[in-house]
Amino acid sequence: FVQGYNNLSSSLAMCESLFGIDADTVAAQIDASNAYYGGNKPAGSRILFPNGNVDPWHGLGVLEAPRESEPVMMIDGASHHFWTHIKDEITQPQVQQAKEDIQKQVVAWLAESD
């Protein structure tokens, strides 16, 4: 998958042709979803936002930490959710490190008391 190959107009055309959903409906649903979940500034706590720089979706992700308690990670050379694969399947050292960093962060959060 080449970054930039899939664009908005081709995705909207696919929604229209396959599902009968026009661009105005898609835009309205995106607005509703962003309003409900906070768009690229979601409200919450203890949220980690991992991104891979070769993930074609990373541009739609949270790329700047909304708050100190909600860190962002950019994993060089990683694609979409590659750090969720089982450890034995991960060959890239930077993805292995990201998986370890994610686990450390979750463990730290679980050790905190409110």
Side-chain angles (χ1 to χ4, degrees):
F1 193 86
V2 178
Q3 190 171 344
Y5 178 72
N6 184 17
N7 58 39
L8 181 59
S9 60
S10 66
S11 294
L12 289 172
M14 181 172 46
C15 285
E16 177 83 43
S17 68
L18 294 176
F19 307 110
I21 303 170
D22 63 38
D24 291 337
T25 302
V26 172
Q29 293 301 315
I30 290 170
D31 289 344
S33 179
N34 285 339
Y36 185 80
Y37 292 107
N40 65 356
K41 293 185 179 19
S45 63
R46 297 181 181 133
I47 302 170
L48 177 62
F49 298 99
N51 296 280
N53 68 346
V54 296
D55 178 358
W57 301 107
H58 84 271
L60 299 174
V62 177
L63 303 177
E64 293 183 25
R67 286 170 268 311
E68 191 175 326
S69 66
E70 300 171 22
V72 169
M73 296 174 67
M74 182 59 73
I75 298 104
D76 188 42
S79 62
H80 188 64
H81 70 80
F82 199 69
W83 45 88
T84 62
H85 296 201
I86 61 172
K87 192 168 186 174
D88 292 344
E89 294 178 0
I90 299 174
T91 58
Q92 294 172 277
Q94 62 272 28
V95 177
Q96 290 173 346
Q97 184 62 53
K99 186 174 182 89
E100 290 175 22
D101 292 344
I102 291 167
Q103 290 172 338
K104 286 177 189 174
Q105 181 63 72
V106 171
V107 167
W109 281 333
L110 292 173
E112 292 176 3
S113 61
D114 289 328

PDB file of all heavy atoms in Angstrom, residues 45-50 65 67-73 97-112:
ATOM      1  N   SER A  45      -8.246   9.971  29.744  1.00  0.00           N
ATOM      2  CA  SER A  45      -7.015   9.899  30.520  1.00  0.00           C
ATOM      3  C   SER A  45      -6.383   8.538  30.279  1.00  0.00           C
ATOM      4  O   SER A  45      -7.061   7.575  29.924  1.00  0.00           O
ATOM      5  CB  SER A  45      -7.294  10.103  32.007  1.00  0.00           C
ATOM      6  OG  SER A  45      -8.117   9.070  32.495  1.00  0.00           O
ATOM      7  N   ARG A  46      -5.085   8.503  30.461  1.00  0.00           N
ATOM      8  CA  ARG A  46      -4.336   7.254  30.272  1.00  0.00           C
ATOM      9  C   ARG A  46      -4.601   6.632  28.905  1.00  0.00           C
ATOM     10  O   ARG A  46      -4.930   5.448  28.788  1.00  0.00           O
ATOM     11  CB  ARG A  46      -4.651   6.283  31.405  1.00  0.00           C
ATOM     12  CG  ARG A  46      -4.213   6.810  32.754  1.00  0.00           C
ATOM     13  CD  ARG A  46      -4.527   5.814  33.847  1.00  0.00           C
ATOM     14  NE  ARG A  46      -4.127   6.333  35.132  1.00  0.00           N
ATOM     15  CZ  ARG A  46      -4.887   6.295  36.205  1.00  0.00           C
ATOM     16  NH1 ARG A  46      -6.077   5.750  36.157  1.00  0.00           N
ATOM     17  NH2 ARG A  46      -4.449   6.789  37.330  1.00  0.00           N
ATOM     18  N   ILE A  47      -4.467   7.450  27.890  1.00  0.00           N
ATOM     19  CA  ILE A  47      -4.625   6.991  26.511  1.00  0.00           C
ATOM     20  C   ILE A  47      -3.269   7.111  25.829  1.00  0.00           C
ATOM     21  O   ILE A  47      -2.621   8.144  25.907  1.00  0.00           O
ATOM     22  CB  ILE A  47      -5.658   7.839  25.745  1.00  0.00           C
ATOM     23  CG1 ILE A  47      -7.011   7.802  26.446  1.00  0.00           C
ATOM     24  CG2 ILE A  47      -5.772   7.352  24.300  1.00  0.00           C
ATOM     25  CD1 ILE A  47      -8.008   8.806  25.893  1.00  0.00           C
ATOM     26  N   LEU A  48      -2.839   6.058  25.179  1.00  0.00           N
ATOM     27  CA  LEU A  48      -1.586   6.058  24.428  1.00  0.00           C
ATOM     28  C   LEU A  48      -1.928   5.998  22.945  1.00  0.00           C
ATOM     29  O   LEU A  48      -2.747   5.181  22.532  1.00  0.00           O
ATOM     30  CB  LEU A  48      -0.738   4.852  24.838  1.00  0.00           C
ATOM     31  CG  LEU A  48       0.581   4.640  24.117  1.00  0.00           C
ATOM     32  CD1 LEU A  48       1.528   5.809  24.356  1.00  0.00           C
ATOM     33  CD2 LEU A  48       1.226   3.350  24.585  1.00  0.00           C
ATOM     34  N   PHE A  49      -1.317   6.870  22.176  1.00  0.00           N
ATOM     35  CA  PHE A  49      -1.597   6.949  20.744  1.00  0.00           C
ATOM     36  C   PHE A  49      -0.372   6.512  19.946  1.00  0.00           C
ATOM     37  O   PHE A  49       0.456   7.328  19.565  1.00  0.00           O
ATOM     38  CB  PHE A  49      -1.981   8.384  20.363  1.00  0.00           C
ATOM     39  CG  PHE A  49      -3.215   8.884  21.046  1.00  0.00           C
ATOM     40  CD1 PHE A  49      -3.127   9.694  22.167  1.00  0.00           C
ATOM     41  CD2 PHE A  49      -4.470   8.549  20.569  1.00  0.00           C
ATOM     42  CE1 PHE A  49      -4.268  10.174  22.801  1.00  0.00           C
ATOM     43  CE2 PHE A  49      -5.622   9.024  21.198  1.00  0.00           C
ATOM     44  CZ  PHE A  49      -5.509   9.833  22.319  1.00  0.00           C
ATOM     45  N   PRO A  50      -0.225   5.208  19.666  1.00  0.00           N
ATOM     46  CA  PRO A  50       0.888   4.766  18.831  1.00  0.00           C
ATOM     47  C   PRO A  50       0.551   4.955  17.349  1.00  0.00           C
ATOM     48  O   PRO A  50      -0.585   4.741  16.927  1.00  0.00           O
ATOM     49  CB  PRO A  50       1.029   3.289  19.182  1.00  0.00           C
ATOM     50  CG  PRO A  50      -0.324   2.873  19.644  1.00  0.00           C
ATOM     51  CD  PRO A  50      -0.992   4.103  20.211  1.00  0.00           C
ATOM     52  N   ALA A  65       0.376  14.966  21.553  1.00  0.00           N
ATOM     53  CA  ALA A  65      -0.250  14.573  22.814  1.00  0.00           C
ATOM     54  C   ALA A  65      -1.234  15.637  23.281  1.00  0.00           C
ATOM     55  O   ALA A  65      -0.846  16.790  23.465  1.00  0.00           O
ATOM     56  CB  ALA A  65       0.812  14.344  23.879  1.00  0.00           C
ATOM     57  N   ARG A  67      -2.628  15.796  26.169  1.00  0.00           N
ATOM     58  CA  ARG A  67      -2.246  16.088  27.550  1.00  0.00           C
ATOM     59  C   ARG A  67      -1.042  15.222  27.900  1.00  0.00           C
ATOM     60  O   ARG A  67      -0.777  14.225  27.237  1.00  0.00           O
ATOM     61  CB  ARG A  67      -3.416  15.771  28.509  1.00  0.00           C
ATOM     62  CG  ARG A  67      -4.552  16.788  28.453  1.00  0.00           C
ATOM     63  CD  ARG A  67      -5.778  16.329  29.216  1.00  0.00           C
ATOM     64  NE  ARG A  67      -6.804  15.588  28.498  1.00  0.00           N
ATOM     65  CZ  ARG A  67      -7.370  15.914  27.337  1.00  0.00           C
ATOM     66  NH1 ARG A  67      -6.969  16.946  26.670  1.00  0.00           N
ATOM     67  NH2 ARG A  67      -8.340  15.199  26.817  1.00  0.00           N
ATOM     68  N   GLU A  68      -0.371  15.577  28.961  1.00  0.00           N
ATOM     69  CA  GLU A  68       0.803  14.804  29.377  1.00  0.00           C
ATOM     70  C   GLU A  68       0.442  13.348  29.682  1.00  0.00           C
ATOM     71  O   GLU A  68       1.237  12.441  29.450  1.00  0.00           O
ATOM     72  CB  GLU A  68       1.435  15.451  30.607  1.00  0.00           C
ATOM     73  CG  GLU A  68       2.792  14.884  30.951  1.00  0.00           C
ATOM     74  CD  GLU A  68       3.461  15.614  32.089  1.00  0.00           C
ATOM     75  OE1 GLU A  68       3.280  16.837  32.200  1.00  0.00           O
ATOM     76  OE2 GLU A  68       4.157  14.937  32.876  1.00  0.00           O
ATOM     77  N   SER A  69      -0.760  13.124  30.172  1.00  0.00           N
ATOM     78  CA  SER A  69      -1.199  11.764  30.508  1.00  0.00           C
ATOM     79  C   SER A  69      -1.655  10.963  29.289  1.00  0.00           C
ATOM     80  O   SER A  69      -2.078   9.818  29.428  1.00  0.00           O
ATOM     81  CB  SER A  69      -2.346  11.821  31.521  1.00  0.00           C
ATOM     82  OG  SER A  69      -3.486  12.424  30.927  1.00  0.00           O
ATOM     83  N   GLU A  70      -1.540  11.558  28.103  1.00  0.00           N
ATOM     84  CA  GLU A  70      -1.965  10.910  26.864  1.00  0.00           C
ATOM     85  C   GLU A  70      -0.852  11.010  25.825  1.00  0.00           C
ATOM     86  O   GLU A  70      -0.935  11.793  24.884  1.00  0.00           O
ATOM     87  CB  GLU A  70      -3.257  11.551  26.361  1.00  0.00           C
ATOM     88  CG  GLU A  70      -4.393  11.434  27.347  1.00  0.00           C
ATOM     89  CD  GLU A  70      -5.602  12.247  26.955  1.00  0.00           C
ATOM     90  OE1 GLU A  70      -5.758  12.574  25.773  1.00  0.00           O
ATOM     91  OE2 GLU A  70      -6.396  12.561  27.860  1.00  0.00           O
ATOM     92  N   PRO A  71       0.209  10.202  25.992  1.00  0.00           N
ATOM     93  CA  PRO A  71       1.366  10.314  25.106  1.00  0.00           C
ATOM     94  C   PRO A  71       1.117   9.785  23.690  1.00  0.00           C
ATOM     95  O   PRO A  71       0.240   8.957  23.460  1.00  0.00           O
ATOM     96  CB  PRO A  71       2.431   9.473  25.810  1.00  0.00           C
ATOM     97  CG  PRO A  71       1.662   8.498  26.631  1.00  0.00           C
ATOM     98  CD  PRO A  71       0.386   9.186  27.017  1.00  0.00           C
ATOM     99  N   VAL A  72       1.918  10.291  22.776  1.00  0.00           N
ATOM    100  CA  VAL A  72       1.900   9.865  21.381  1.00  0.00           C
ATOM    101  C   VAL A  72       3.235   9.194  21.084  1.00  0.00           C
ATOM    102  O   VAL A  72       4.279   9.632  21.559  1.00  0.00           O
ATOM    103  CB  VAL A  72       1.710  11.087  20.444  1.00  0.00           C
ATOM    104  CG1 VAL A  72       1.944  10.707  18.996  1.00  0.00           C
ATOM    105  CG2 VAL A  72       0.320  11.669  20.619  1.00  0.00           C
ATOM    106  N   MET A  73       3.191   8.109  20.322  1.00  0.00           N
ATOM    107  CA  MET A  73       4.404   7.438  19.853  1.00  0.00           C
ATOM    108  C   MET A  73       4.373   7.407  18.331  1.00  0.00           C
ATOM    109  O   MET A  73       3.330   7.143  17.745  1.00  0.00           O
ATOM    110  CB  MET A  73       4.450   5.984  20.330  1.00  0.00           C
ATOM    111  CG  MET A  73       4.524   5.786  21.812  1.00  0.00           C
ATOM    112  SD  MET A  73       4.394   4.025  22.252  1.00  0.00           S
ATOM    113  CE  MET A  73       5.900   3.397  21.567  1.00  0.00           C
ATOM    114  N   GLN A  97      10.713  -2.603  20.198  1.00  0.00           N
ATOM    115  CA  GLN A  97      10.883  -1.621  21.262  1.00  0.00           C
ATOM    116  C   GLN A  97       9.566  -0.910  21.560  1.00  0.00           C
ATOM    117  O   GLN A  97       9.223  -0.673  22.712  1.00  0.00           O
ATOM    118  CB  GLN A  97      11.965  -0.605  20.891  1.00  0.00           C
ATOM    119  CG  GLN A  97      12.265   0.381  21.994  1.00  0.00           C
ATOM    120  CD  GLN A  97      12.806  -0.299  23.238  1.00  0.00           C
ATOM    121  OE1 GLN A  97      13.773  -1.054  23.173  1.00  0.00           O
ATOM    122  NE2 GLN A  97      12.188  -0.039  24.380  1.00  0.00           N
ATOM    123  N   ALA A  98       8.816  -0.569  20.519  1.00  0.00           N
ATOM    124  CA  ALA A  98       7.527   0.101  20.712  1.00  0.00           C
ATOM    125  C   ALA A  98       6.581  -0.792  21.515  1.00  0.00           C
ATOM    126  O   ALA A  98       5.890  -0.324  22.420  1.00  0.00           O
ATOM    127  CB  ALA A  98       6.906   0.469  19.371  1.00  0.00           C
ATOM    128  N   LYS A  99       6.557  -2.079  21.187  1.00  0.00           N
ATOM    129  CA  LYS A  99       5.692  -3.017  21.918  1.00  0.00           C
ATOM    130  C   LYS A  99       6.081  -3.050  23.396  1.00  0.00           C
ATOM    131  O   LYS A  99       5.219  -3.008  24.274  1.00  0.00           O
ATOM    132  CB  LYS A  99       5.778  -4.410  21.295  1.00  0.00           C
ATOM    133  CG  LYS A  99       4.804  -5.402  21.900  1.00  0.00           C
ATOM    134  CD  LYS A  99       4.851  -6.712  21.141  1.00  0.00           C
ATOM    135  CE  LYS A  99       3.859  -7.698  21.679  1.00  0.00           C
ATOM    136  NZ  LYS A  99       2.560  -7.618  21.057  1.00  0.00           N
ATOM    137  N   GLU A 100       7.374  -3.078  23.670  1.00  0.00           N
ATOM    138  CA  GLU A 100       7.845  -3.058  25.061  1.00  0.00           C
ATOM    139  C   GLU A 100       7.462  -1.743  25.743  1.00  0.00           C
ATOM    140  O   GLU A 100       7.035  -1.737  26.901  1.00  0.00           O
ATOM    141  CB  GLU A 100       9.351  -3.274  25.107  1.00  0.00           C
ATOM    142  CG  GLU A 100       9.770  -4.684  24.734  1.00  0.00           C
ATOM    143  CD  GLU A 100      11.279  -4.858  24.662  1.00  0.00           C
ATOM    144  OE1 GLU A 100      12.014  -4.052  25.277  1.00  0.00           O
ATOM    145  OE2 GLU A 100      11.722  -5.799  23.977  1.00  0.00           O
ATOM    146  N   ASP A 101       7.632  -0.622  25.035  1.00  0.00           N
ATOM    147  CA  ASP A 101       7.289   0.686  25.605  1.00  0.00           C
ATOM    148  C   ASP A 101       5.798   0.791  25.913  1.00  0.00           C
ATOM    149  O   ASP A 101       5.407   1.353  26.937  1.00  0.00           O
ATOM    150  CB  ASP A 101       7.713   1.813  24.662  1.00  0.00           C
ATOM    151  CG  ASP A 101       9.222   1.943  24.535  1.00  0.00           C
ATOM    152  OD1 ASP A 101       9.958   1.374  25.383  1.00  0.00           O
ATOM    153  OD2 ASP A 101       9.675   2.601  23.577  1.00  0.00           O
ATOM    154  N   ILE A 102       4.973   0.249  25.027  1.00  0.00           N
ATOM    155  CA  ILE A 102       3.519   0.255  25.244  1.00  0.00           C
ATOM    156  C   ILE A 102       3.194  -0.563  26.495  1.00  0.00           C
ATOM    157  O   ILE A 102       2.420  -0.121  27.356  1.00  0.00           O
ATOM    158  CB  ILE A 102       2.776  -0.284  24.009  1.00  0.00           C
ATOM    159  CG1 ILE A 102       2.903   0.709  22.837  1.00  0.00           C
ATOM    160  CG2 ILE A 102       1.307  -0.571  24.324  1.00  0.00           C
ATOM    161  CD1 ILE A 102       2.485   0.134  21.486  1.00  0.00           C
ATOM    162  N   GLN A 103       3.783  -1.744  26.596  1.00  0.00           N
ATOM    163  CA  GLN A 103       3.530  -2.589  27.762  1.00  0.00           C
ATOM    164  C   GLN A 103       3.977  -1.910  29.053  1.00  0.00           C
ATOM    165  O   GLN A 103       3.275  -1.950  30.065  1.00  0.00           O
ATOM    166  CB  GLN A 103       4.211  -3.945  27.590  1.00  0.00           C
ATOM    167  CG  GLN A 103       3.558  -4.791  26.518  1.00  0.00           C
ATOM    168  CD  GLN A 103       4.319  -6.056  26.201  1.00  0.00           C
ATOM    169  OE1 GLN A 103       5.518  -6.173  26.451  1.00  0.00           O
ATOM    170  NE2 GLN A 103       3.624  -7.018  25.608  1.00  0.00           N
ATOM    171  N   LYS A 104       5.147  -1.251  29.042  1.00  0.00           N
ATOM    172  CA  LYS A 104       5.641  -0.543  30.229  1.00  0.00           C
ATOM    173  C   LYS A 104       4.684   0.573  30.625  1.00  0.00           C
ATOM    174  O   LYS A 104       4.427   0.788  31.814  1.00  0.00           O
ATOM    175  CB  LYS A 104       7.033   0.027  29.973  1.00  0.00           C
ATOM    176  CG  LYS A 104       8.127  -1.004  29.965  1.00  0.00           C
ATOM    177  CD  LYS A 104       9.462  -0.362  29.642  1.00  0.00           C
ATOM    178  CE  LYS A 104      10.528  -1.420  29.417  1.00  0.00           C
ATOM    179  NZ  LYS A 104      11.788  -0.821  28.970  1.00  0.00           N
ATOM    180  N   GLN A 105       4.151   1.296  29.631  1.00  0.00           N
ATOM    181  CA  GLN A 105       3.245   2.384  29.937  1.00  0.00           C
ATOM    182  C   GLN A 105       1.953   1.878  30.567  1.00  0.00           C
ATOM    183  O   GLN A 105       1.469   2.431  31.556  1.00  0.00           O
ATOM    184  CB  GLN A 105       2.910   3.194  28.680  1.00  0.00           C
ATOM    185  CG  GLN A 105       1.989   4.358  28.922  1.00  0.00           C
ATOM    186  CD  GLN A 105       2.584   5.395  29.840  1.00  0.00           C
ATOM    187  OE1 GLN A 105       3.484   6.116  29.464  1.00  0.00           O
ATOM    188  NE2 GLN A 105       2.095   5.474  31.067  1.00  0.00           N
ATOM    189  N   VAL A 106       1.425   0.801  30.038  1.00  0.00           N
ATOM    190  CA  VAL A 106       0.189   0.225  30.588  1.00  0.00           C
ATOM    191  C   VAL A 106       0.428  -0.279  32.004  1.00  0.00           C
ATOM    192  O   VAL A 106      -0.383  -0.030  32.912  1.00  0.00           O
ATOM    193  CB  VAL A 106      -0.361  -0.896  29.667  1.00  0.00           C
ATOM    194  CG1 VAL A 106      -1.506  -1.640  30.342  1.00  0.00           C
ATOM    195  CG2 VAL A 106      -0.807  -0.303  28.333  1.00  0.00           C
ATOM    196  N   VAL A 107       1.534  -0.942  32.223  1.00  0.00           N
ATOM    197  CA  VAL A 107       1.862  -1.438  33.565  1.00  0.00           C
ATOM    198  C   VAL A 107       1.988  -0.257  34.535  1.00  0.00           C
ATOM    199  O   VAL A 107       1.482  -0.313  35.673  1.00  0.00           O
ATOM    200  CB  VAL A 107       3.149  -2.298  33.544  1.00  0.00           C
ATOM    201  CG1 VAL A 107       3.669  -2.547  34.945  1.00  0.00           C
ATOM    202  CG2 VAL A 107       2.893  -3.613  32.830  1.00  0.00           C
ATOM    203  N   ALA A 108       2.626   0.820  34.109  1.00  0.00           N
ATOM    204  CA  ALA A 108       2.766   2.003  34.968  1.00  0.00           C
ATOM    205  C   ALA A 108       1.411   2.581  35.307  1.00  0.00           C
ATOM    206  O   ALA A 108       1.143   2.951  36.465  1.00  0.00           O
ATOM    207  CB  ALA A 108       3.653   3.039  34.282  1.00  0.00           C
ATOM    208  N   TRP A 109       0.530   2.683  34.323  1.00  0.00           N
ATOM    209  CA  TRP A 109      -0.811   3.200  34.590  1.00  0.00           C
ATOM    210  C   TRP A 109      -1.579   2.308  35.557  1.00  0.00           C
ATOM    211  O   TRP A 109      -2.279   2.788  36.441  1.00  0.00           O
ATOM    212  CB  TRP A 109      -1.595   3.364  33.289  1.00  0.00           C
ATOM    213  CG  TRP A 109      -1.232   4.595  32.513  1.00  0.00           C
ATOM    214  CD1 TRP A 109      -0.737   5.762  32.998  1.00  0.00           C
ATOM    215  CD2 TRP A 109      -1.375   4.775  31.110  1.00  0.00           C
ATOM    216  NE1 TRP A 109      -0.549   6.664  31.973  1.00  0.00           N
ATOM    217  CE2 TRP A 109      -0.939   6.093  30.805  1.00  0.00           C
ATOM    218  CE3 TRP A 109      -1.828   3.979  30.081  1.00  0.00           C
ATOM    219  CZ2 TRP A 109      -0.945   6.613  29.517  1.00  0.00           C
ATOM    220  CZ3 TRP A 109      -1.828   4.492  28.784  1.00  0.00           C
ATOM    221  CH2 TRP A 109      -1.392   5.794  28.517  1.00  0.00           C
ATOM    222  N   LEU A 110      -1.468   1.013  35.384  1.00  0.00           N
ATOM    223  CA  LEU A 110      -2.170   0.080  36.268  1.00  0.00           C
ATOM    224  C   LEU A 110      -1.645   0.155  37.698  1.00  0.00           C
ATOM    225  O   LEU A 110      -2.384  -0.118  38.646  1.00  0.00           O
ATOM    226  CB  LEU A 110      -2.056  -1.362  35.738  1.00  0.00           C
ATOM    227  CG  LEU A 110      -2.808  -1.636  34.441  1.00  0.00           C
ATOM    228  CD1 LEU A 110      -2.478  -3.028  33.917  1.00  0.00           C
ATOM    229  CD2 LEU A 110      -4.311  -1.463  34.617  1.00  0.00           C
ATOM    230  N   ALA A 111      -0.392   0.532  37.871  1.00  0.00           N
ATOM    231  CA  ALA A 111       0.199   0.638  39.203  1.00  0.00           C
ATOM    232  C   ALA A 111      -0.198   1.938  39.905  1.00  0.00           C
ATOM    233  O   ALA A 111      -0.041   2.040  41.115  1.00  0.00           O
ATOM    234  CB  ALA A 111       1.713   0.549  39.109  1.00  0.00           C
ATOM    235  N   GLU A 112      -0.697   2.915  39.150  1.00  0.00           N
ATOM    236  CA  GLU A 112      -1.109   4.184  39.745  1.00  0.00           C
ATOM    237  C   GLU A 112      -2.393   3.992  40.531  1.00  0.00           C
ATOM    238  O   GLU A 112      -3.233   3.179  40.182  1.00  0.00           O
ATOM    239  CB  GLU A 112      -1.344   5.235  38.662  1.00  0.00           C
ATOM    240  CG  GLU A 112      -0.100   5.675  37.954  1.00  0.00           C
ATOM    241  CD  GLU A 112      -0.395   6.656  36.825  1.00  0.00           C
ATOM    242  OE1 GLU A 112      -1.564   7.042  36.620  1.00  0.00           O
ATOM    243  OE2 GLU A 112       0.561   7.012  36.126  1.00  0.00           O
TER     244      GLU A 112
END
